[in-house]
Amino acid sequence: MAGLAAARALSQAGLTVDLLEARDRIGGRIYTQHDGVPIELGAEFIHGKPDATFEIVRSGGIKIIDMRGNPWTSLNGKLERISSWGDSADAI
């Protein structure tokens, strides 16, 4: 998203911009696999509500889902609820 935001700002300033992708797929850290249900293997969250990010999201027609509830993790093959993560994030 940072690269897209920079390219957008440069383009809006009247400069010609070429975007290059270093991987064999587009998307940077965003990497969603669809195998029955979407599973995020890359960036999972938009932190905060930065205008530059949401301008790109809106203009690209990207779907955002407001996630609420309890986070879970897989630890040693067992699904466990993460109870302290939210508390730590709230404290930050």
Side-chain angles (χ1 to χ4, degrees), residues 72-82:
W72 291 76
T73 188
S74 175
L75 185 60
N76 299 321
K78 183 179 175 189
L79 204 56
E80 295 185 10
R81 183 175 169 190
I82 303 171

Side-chain angles (χ1 to χ4, degrees), residues 11-77:
S11 178
Q12 289 174 340
L15 299 171
T16 301
V17 178
D18 290 324
L19 291 177
L20 302 176
E21 178 60 63
R23 297 183 182 198
D24 59 351
R25 61 173 179 77
I26 61 170
R29 290 191 319 117
I30 299 171
Y31 189 43
T32 309
Q33 290 292 304
H34 297 274
D35 188 19
V37 296
I39 299 171
E40 190 54 59
L41 302 176
E44 294 182 68
F45 301 100
I46 299 173
H47 300 280
K49 295 186 178 180
D51 290 336
T53 300
F54 279 86
E55 285 178 26
I56 293 168
V57 168
R58 280 190 294 275
S59 69
I62 299 168
K63 183 177 181 180
I64 296 176
I65 299 171
D66 186 6
M67 301 296 291
R68 301 199 185 269
N70 301 307
W72 291 76
T73 188
S74 175
L75 185 60
N76 299 321

